[in-house]
């Protein structure tokens, strides 16, 4: 049985990569915790709606509906944030950056490793890659300490790639 060919974007050079990092946002909650929170908020809003309706305070029902809509929007935005990912692969001759959400690839870029620079400004909220006038940012969803350690590891990998074999 023949394997299906992978897209050219995922074809790796013959040599093994020097550095391969897959970045995802921190997720401190669990699926059960998120379900419990959603259930609690729905029950709370339902009880409050019944209470306000029993007291004939109809304008408060509109406020409760706005709060419920905001909570639903926030939960969906959080789900999208958790689905984001970034992958950086460094070989001696090239470096590839892939960004996606869930199973979709949203952005890809490739640079020659010998000329690529990675930097982290003192107050930057991301790691910047630059080469030949092209720039890309990554790691914006990482905590500051994680971003600094990732930038240090990436710079070490780029320096290792530039050393003669």
């Amino acid at each position: 049985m023949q394997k299906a060919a992978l897209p050219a974007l995922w074809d790796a050079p013959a040599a093994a990569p020097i550095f391969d990092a897959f970045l995802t946002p921190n997720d401190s909650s669990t699926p059960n915790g998120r379900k419990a929170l959603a259930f609690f908020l729905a029950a709370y809003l339902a009880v409050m709606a019944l209470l306000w309706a029993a007291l004939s305070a109809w304008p408060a029902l509109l406020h409760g509906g706005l709060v419920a809509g905001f909570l639903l929007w926030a939960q969906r935005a959080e789900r999208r944030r958790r689905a984001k990912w970034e992958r950086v692969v460094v070989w001696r001759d090239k470096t590839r950056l892939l960004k996606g959400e869930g199973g979709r690839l949203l952005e890809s870029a490739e640079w020659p490793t010998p000329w690529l620079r990675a930097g982290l400004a003192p107050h930057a909220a991301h790691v910047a890659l630059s080469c030949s006038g092209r720039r890309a940012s990554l790691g914006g969803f990482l905590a500051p300490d994680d971003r600094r350690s990732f930038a240090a590891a990436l710079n070490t990998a780029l320096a290792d790639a530039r050393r003669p074999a």
Side-chain angles (χ1 to χ4, degrees):
M1 183 173 199
Q2 185 177 3
K3 287 186 176 182
L6 293 173
L9 183 63
W10 294 98
D11 289 346
I18 294 171
F19 181 79
D20 190 350
F22 190 79
L23 307 174
T24 58
N26 182 25
D27 185 13
S28 60
S29 62
T30 64
N32 287 337
R34 287 188 290 274
K35 287 176 189 173
L37 179 63
F39 176 76
F40 170 77
L41 291 173
Y44 173 77
L45 288 171
V47 167
M48 292 306 293
L50 289 173
L51 176 66
W52 291 117
L55 294 172
S56 297
W58 300 108
L61 288 176
L62 177 62
H63 178 265
L66 289 173
V67 170
F70 174 75
L71 292 174
L72 180 63
W73 171 80
Q75 188 175 23
R76 288 183 183 204
E78 176 63 15
R79 184 180 307 139
R80 284 193 68 200
R81 185 196 68 83
R82 285 191 315 267
K84 291 184 185 243
W85 55 267
E86 296 171 343
R87 183 176 182 199
V88 180
V89 186
V90 177
W91 292 277
R92 287 202 178 279
D93 59 338
K94 66 181 176 179
T95 298
R96 187 176 289 160
L97 169 64
L98 305 169
K99 292 183 178 186
E101 185 176 302
R104 295 181 310 143
L105 180 65
L106 300 177
E107 181 183 335
S108 68
E110 193 170 290
W111 296 276
T113 299
W115 294 281
L116 181 65
R117 299 292 175 249
L120 180 64
H123 301 290
H126 62 271
V127 176
L129 296 176
S130 63
C131 177
S132 304
R134 291 179 33 217
R135 293 183 176 274
S137 63
L138 67 149
F141 47 71
L142 296 175
D145 290 339
D146 294 337
R147 199 169 25 251
R148 280 190 290 275
S149 64
F150 170 70
L154 180 58
N155 276 319
T156 300
L158 290 172
D160 290 346
R162 290 183 195 109
R163 283 194 198 106

